[in-house]
Amino acid sequence: MKEFQRHRRLRRTAGIRNMVRETHLHTEDFIYPIFVKEGTDIKNEVPSMPGVYQWSLDRLNEEVDEAVGLDIETIIVFGVPAEKDEVGSSAYVHNGIVQEGIRQIKERYPAVTVIADTCLCQFTDHGHCGVVRDGEIVNDDSLTLLVKTAVSQAEAGADIIAPSNMMDGFVSAIRDGLDEAGFENIPIMSYAVKYASAFYGPFRDAAHSSPKSGDRKTYQMDPANRFEALREADSDVEEGADFLIVKPALSYLDIIRDVKERHPLPIVAYNVSGEYSMVKAAAKNGWVNEKDIVLEKLTSMKRAGADLILTYHAKDAANWLKGEK
């Protein structure tokens, strides 16, 4: 018989498979998103995201306590304000919902790393991520408001600023603004590569952030483009980004790998709401094994090159990983 390789030798037992496993998931890899909503006694399940809730400040500790109890070390805060206007002013006021959420989490758990999502879309009455003038999302005027938002979040105690707006020059503007305000040690986790994706629908349900008119294709990336992602990442690195996010993750594993190979910075895969909701729906119908498919999906993101994963599955995955030890 012609000689051939016996690759199955390294798959023969569970112990051997564990020995040679190349990619490992850990709870500290996860960034857990929390939606904080103005009001009282609020725990609203997002209809399109089973298991994900909007929390008022008076009930926020319930969610944070559970996450910390699962050894989740990093939380990102999204805000759902009571009032919106054309310039998103509630995004950068001292007592805004994101700022108050940050203060509360840091007071209760000083060692938890709290990331602030820095955008305007939840706070503007038109739902866009910047200033709108004559139907156009105006880039440079938007930067001014985003800087104010970032500084106010840092003042509230955010450990990391995560700008998600995709305006040109946003990292440079925010870096300068943070430095001038005395926050030169606060890192920027840039949504460097953010596609105009169809996978965001459930998030807009959770954050009440859908555009009232038009779409975001003039500032978010075309899903067909690969090299544009590298140009976006290059710009953010040159401007001072400390982390690079690729969003979405599952359909963009090739982009995660490209960015990882190009830049020696921590890479974050954003496992977005649509990716989460599809699994939840399929699991509810008994079509997939939720645990197995989620852990496989998250592992694929790490295998592609992600150092961290921002995921709504974080609590479930942390529970499953605990059970495997």
Side-chain angles (χ1 to χ4, degrees):
M1 182 181 295
K2 186 176 179 179
E3 190 65 29
F4 56 89
Q5 297 293 321
R6 294 193 180 274
H7 300 289
R8 291 179 57 191
R9 289 171 181 158
L10 299 185
R11 305 172 193 152
R12 188 172 58 85
T13 69
I16 294 174
R17 291 192 296 273
N18 289 340
M19 285 175 62
V20 300
R21 183 163 295 135
E22 300 171 21
T23 307
H24 295 268
L25 276 179
H26 305 284
T27 303
E28 55 264 33
D29 299 331
F30 302 143
I31 300 171
Y32 183 53
I34 294 181
F35 295 93
V36 187
K37 182 177 174 64
E38 291 196 69
T40 57
D41 195 26
I42 294 172
K43 180 187 177 182
N44 294 338
E45 188 171 31
V46 180
S48 56
M49 300 180 71
V52 174
Y53 298 84
Q54 299 169 330
W55 298 88
S56 54
L57 291 171
D58 59 319
R59 299 194 63 178
L60 176 60
N61 289 347
E62 298 173 37
E63 177 76 323
V64 179
D65 289 350
E66 183 178 359
V68 172
L70 290 167
D71 297 327
I72 294 171
E73 301 176 353
T74 307
I75 290 168
I76 185 167
V77 178
F78 295 92
V80 185
E83 297 182 0
K84 305 186 180 193
D85 59 32
E86 62 180 3
V87 292
S89 57
S90 57
Y92 42 85
V93 293
H94 174 78
N95 61 342
I97 187 60
V98 169
Q99 290 80 356
E100 291 298 303
I102 292 167
R103 290 188 185 98
Q104 184 167 318
I105 295 169
K106 291 300 293 185
E107 181 177 354
R108 189 171 183 84
Y109 293 107
V112 167
T113 299
V114 177
I115 304 170
D117 177 74
T118 306
C119 198
L120 301 178
C121 58
Q122 299 104 292
F123 305 93
T124 55
D125 54 14
H126 47 73
H128 279 288
C129 303
V131 176
V132 177
R133 187 174 301 125
D134 298 326
E136 179 185 354
I137 294 84
V138 182
N139 194 92
D140 294 9
D141 289 355
S142 300
L143 295 180
T144 301
L145 302 184
L146 291 163
V147 170
K148 291 175 65 175
T149 302
V151 170
S152 71
Q153 293 168 338
E155 289 172 344
D159 297 291
I160 299 172
I161 298 298
S164 59
N165 54 88
M166 286 298 284
M167 297 295 115
D168 289 339
F170 70 90
V171 173
S172 179
I174 290 172
R175 183 71 274 157
D176 287 348
L178 290 172
D179 292 352
E180 290 171 8
F183 296 109
E184 60 275 358
N185 292 323
I186 297 295
I188 294 175
M189 180 181 284
S190 170
Y191 286 67
V193 180
K194 183 177 181 180
Y195 285 89
S197 172
F199 285 98
Y200 300 155
F203 174 90
R204 293 171 183 173
D205 189 17
H208 299 170
S209 61
S210 296
K212 294 295 188 294
S213 62
D215 54 43
R216 295 176 176 155
K217 293 180 180 179
T218 65
Y219 49 102
Q220 294 179 359
M221 285 179 46
D222 184 340
N225 290 356
R226 175 187 175 196
F227 295 111
E228 183 184 1
L230 299 179
R231 296 196 298 271
E232 287 280 2
D234 290 350
S235 295
D236 287 6
V237 171
E238 291 170 5
E239 294 173 20
D242 301 283
F243 302 78
L244 300 174
I245 298 177
V246 176
K247 179 182 180 184
L250 193 58
S251 292
Y252 299 85
L253 297 178
D254 59 324
I255 306 302
I256 293 172
R257 170 53 57 187
D258 286 343
V259 174
K260 180 65 175 179
E261 290 181 346
R262 192 176 183 99
H263 293 293
L265 291 178
I267 306 301
V268 184
Y270 194 146
N271 176 209
V272 299
S273 58
E275 297 167 349
Y276 171 89
S277 296
M278 289 191 302
V279 171
K280 285 290 185 180
K284 182 179 180 180
N285 281 289
W287 297 337
V288 299
N289 180 302
E290 182 177 0
K291 172 186 173 183
D292 289 350
I293 202 167
V294 168
L295 293 180
E296 181 178 339
K297 178 175 70 167
L298 298 179
T299 299
S300 76
M301 296 168 195
K302 281 206 71 178
R303 190 187 66 241
D307 300 285
L308 300 163
I309 304 171
L310 200 166
T311 178
Y312 304 95
H313 294 292
K315 290 194 301 182
D316 286 337
N319 258 319
W320 294 326
L321 292 176
K322 279 177 176 286
E324 290 183 353
K325 291 181 178 178

